[in-house]
């Protein structure tokens, strides 16, 4: 079989298979470009089963581009809470404002217009244009590169830009006229369900007969991919600051800076710890860890007295792995009115009497709160702090 026949066989059999086996996913029930856009952003680095309930809630809360563009950022982040990679949510809202202001709330279909939206890269632009508008644009992600590497025996590093460009050109040649939407979705579906990273289900694959990788016995070793560097370990000590008097039953939280990692989200106060001699945080005695926590938070204007170890927690970002020890602490009244946001060099001139006040009550956006379990629905937390707070409040109710 020559290359042209191999390509035609692939396209024909893939489309037939997809028509019979495609999953019933909520964003596939519409050709609404906004819905498809939301789903593609959510599906980045995230499993389909995880995304479905988030997608349904997000669309219910923000049913149109305009509703997303006009929403408070805190509401958008809260709706995204648990999905991770929160810059996706902020970029999505920024792009919604672009669509509202530049295109009258109507999702554009042009290559330059779609690619110009905040947070939209080559894959997402291709997915939106092909799925929503049936334009023969390539949408090449990890699933697609894996399928193409195996079927066409492409033994080039998929982390290289030249390899991606080659595969994008190949996809354009493979798309049958008028079938861009189904073809690209079928290609993604095949990679997700059959041509999986490990133990590919070759016997049920619709294109196995002419898969060059399988014929050469290389289906398990393809694609070729340069290994990424492991995330850098960081050690942190965290305070669950328990309130008293009018704040009894509540804990103290602060808002992260407007830029950088986890921008604009809420968290428990915590400090970075680099134990002497490079020892792991787990080897640092509780007393030393608590002294470090109290001393550094005092310097940030958060006066506490650590009481006892509560739990350990871990969280991995794309480039950092947090190892955390969490301590129950009590608030100490020392009359300091300078509070600092996490990892920020600039202080917030906030009177401690305003801490816990809602926006509007003081006329200022106070970046600190005292919250109860019932208040958590109003604040967006990174996953690691959400887990800590849920475990803490659950333990206090026993």
């Amino acid at each position: 079989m020559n290359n042209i026949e191999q390509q035609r066989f692939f396209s024909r059999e893939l489309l037939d298979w997809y028509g019979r086996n495609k999953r019933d996913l909520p964003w596939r029930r519409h050709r609404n470009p906004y819905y498809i856009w939301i789903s593609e952003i959510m599906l980045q680095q995230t499993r389909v089963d995880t995304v479905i309930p988030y997608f349904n809630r997000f669309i219910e809360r923000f049913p149109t581009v305009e509703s997303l563009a006009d929403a408070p950022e805190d509401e958008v982040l809260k709706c995204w809470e648990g999905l991770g990679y929160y810059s996706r949510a902020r970029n999505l809202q920024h792009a919604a404002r672009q669509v509202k202001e530049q295109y009258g709330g109507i999702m554009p279909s042009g290559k330059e217009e779609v690619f110009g939206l905040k947070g939209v890269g080559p894959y997402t632009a291709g997915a939106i244009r092909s799925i929503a508008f049936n334009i023969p644009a390539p949408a090449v992600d990890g699933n697609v590169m894996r399928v193409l590497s195996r079927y066409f025996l492409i033994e080039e590093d998929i982390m290289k830009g030249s390899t991606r460009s080659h595969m994008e050109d190949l996809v354009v040649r493979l798309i049958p006229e008028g079938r861009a939407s189904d073809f690209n979705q079928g290609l993604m579906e095949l990679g997700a369900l059959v041509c999986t990273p490990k133990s590919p289900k070759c016997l049920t694959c619709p294109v196995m007969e002419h898969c060059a990788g399988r014929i050469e016995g290389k289906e398990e070793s393809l694609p070729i991919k340069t290994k990424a560097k492991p995330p850098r370990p960081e050690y942190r000590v965290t305070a669950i600051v328990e309130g008293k008097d009018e704040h009894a039953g509540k804990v103290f939280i602060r808002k992260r800076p407007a830029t950088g990692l986890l921008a604009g989200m809420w968290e428990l106060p915590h400090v970075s710890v680099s134990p002497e001699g490079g020892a792991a945080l787990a080897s640092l005695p509780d007393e030393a860890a608590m002294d470090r926590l109290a001393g550094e938070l005092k310097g940030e204007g958060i006066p506490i007295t650590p009481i006892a170890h509560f739990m350990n927690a871990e969280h991995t970002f794309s480039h950092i792995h947090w190892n955390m020890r969490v301590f129950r602490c009590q608030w100490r009244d020392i009359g300091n009115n300078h509070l600092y946001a996490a990892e920020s060099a600039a202080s917030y001139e906030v009177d401690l009497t305003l801490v816990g006040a809602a926006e509007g009550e003081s006329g200022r956006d106070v970046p600190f709160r005292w919250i109860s379990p019932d208040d958590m629905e109003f604040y967006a937390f990174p996953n690691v702090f959400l887990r800590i707070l849920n475990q803490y409040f659950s333990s206090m109710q026993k």
Side-chain angles (χ1 to χ4, degrees), residues 244-266:
K244 58 184 179 181
D245 300 328
E246 70 270 29
H247 299 309
K250 299 182 178 182
V251 299
F252 183 81
I253 61 172
R254 65 183 180 186
K255 195 172 190 178
R256 293 183 65 84
T259 59
L261 182 67
L262 304 173
M265 303 194 75
W266 293 85

Side-chain angles (χ1 to χ4, degrees), residues 44-101:
Q44 294 171 9
Q45 309 284 337
T46 312
R47 293 172 58 86
V48 167
D49 291 346
T50 300
V51 165
I52 290 174
Y54 280 95
F55 173 84
N56 289 332
R57 286 196 297 269
F58 200 90
I59 292 300
E60 182 179 0
R61 174 61 188 85
F62 310 113
T64 64
V65 170
E66 291 86 349
S67 62
L68 176 58
D70 296 339
E73 182 182 276
D74 284 348
E75 287 188 29
V76 177
L77 290 174
K78 185 62 183 178
C79 242
W80 204 272
E81 184 182 69
L83 270 179
Y85 300 95
Y86 293 95
S87 61
R88 294 182 297 171
R90 287 186 291 272
N91 289 341
L92 186 60
Q93 185 175 38
H94 185 283
R97 290 169 179 160
Q98 288 180 270
V99 173
K100 177 185 175 183
E101 294 166 6

Side-chain angles (χ1 to χ4, degrees), residues 306-360:
I307 302 171
H309 176 265
F310 177 69
M311 67 179 288
N312 294 337
E314 296 184 31
H315 189 76
T316 301
F317 302 95
S318 58
H319 60 297
I320 301 171
H321 181 81
W322 279 3
N323 296 275
M324 308 176 73
R325 282 167 69 187
V326 185
F327 294 89
R328 290 177 52 223
C329 306
Q330 290 181 338
W331 183 271
R332 290 192 299 117
D333 295 319
I334 61 172
N336 191 334
N337 71 337
H338 293 272
L339 293 174
Y340 290 74
E343 302 172 21
S344 173
S347 64
Y348 288 80
E349 301 289 338
V350 180
D351 189 327
L352 293 185
T353 61
L354 296 179
V355 172
E359 292 181 35

Side-chain angles (χ1 to χ4, degrees), residues 170-198:
L170 178 57
V171 168
V172 172
R173 295 197 301 272
L174 289 170
I175 297 174
E177 185 176 354
R179 300 299 303 277
S181 180
D182 285 343
F183 180 84
N184 275 351
Q185 290 184 88
L187 195 49
M188 299 170 195
E189 196 84 329
L190 188 67
L193 301 181
V194 178
C195 197
T196 51
K198 297 180 181 179

